[in-house]
Amino acid sequence: MFEILNATRDDVVAVRMGTGTPAGYREFYDLLVEKTDQYGTVHVYEETTDWTLSTYLSHLHGILPDLRTGPSFNIGRYAAIGDSRWAKLLYYQWRAIAPVWPVAPDDMRYYELANRRMALNWVETGDTNPDENTSNR
């Protein structure tokens, strides 16, 4: 379901999301709980590239794990990086329900694929200018 990217370290989880599965959500949420236990808050960089309608619909598997596991982790900054209308649609739906959803981040943003570096910098530092805080992650 997801690939852990090299930028994952300390309180940052960076992943490339593929098709959603129940087992994949359990594994992903276990990682978020572990990072929250260690750091109090976890920041998430999530690439959602090459999504189709089928990929989008597969992430409905995440609804029950959200409700069950969501209170066990705390997402601070969350960046969705995408290149399709389906990835963008899921992001905006999540943003719309954020006030009442248990896994909603404190701050969330959507970035086009061309702005990956800016997105990762923001997740890591909270700064929107990648040239001021260049990261080697």
Side-chain angles (χ1 to χ4, degrees), residues 4-36:
I4 297 175
L5 302 175
N6 289 337
T8 297
R9 64 185 75 190
D10 302 328
D11 64 350
V12 172
V13 171
V15 295
R16 184 172 297 117
M17 283 294 189
T19 301
T21 64
Y25 268 97
R26 281 191 304 275
E27 184 180 346
F28 181 55
Y29 286 175
D30 286 348
L31 178 59
L32 295 179
V33 169
E34 176 186 322
K35 293 291 188 176
T36 298

Side-chain angles (χ1 to χ4, degrees), residues 22 25-26 29 33 61-73 101-103:
Y25 268 97
R26 281 191 304 275
Y29 286 175
V33 169
H61 288 293
I63 292 172
L64 286 178
D66 279 2
L67 296 173
R68 214 175 303 133
T69 312
S72 300
F73 57 84
W101 204 247
V103 299

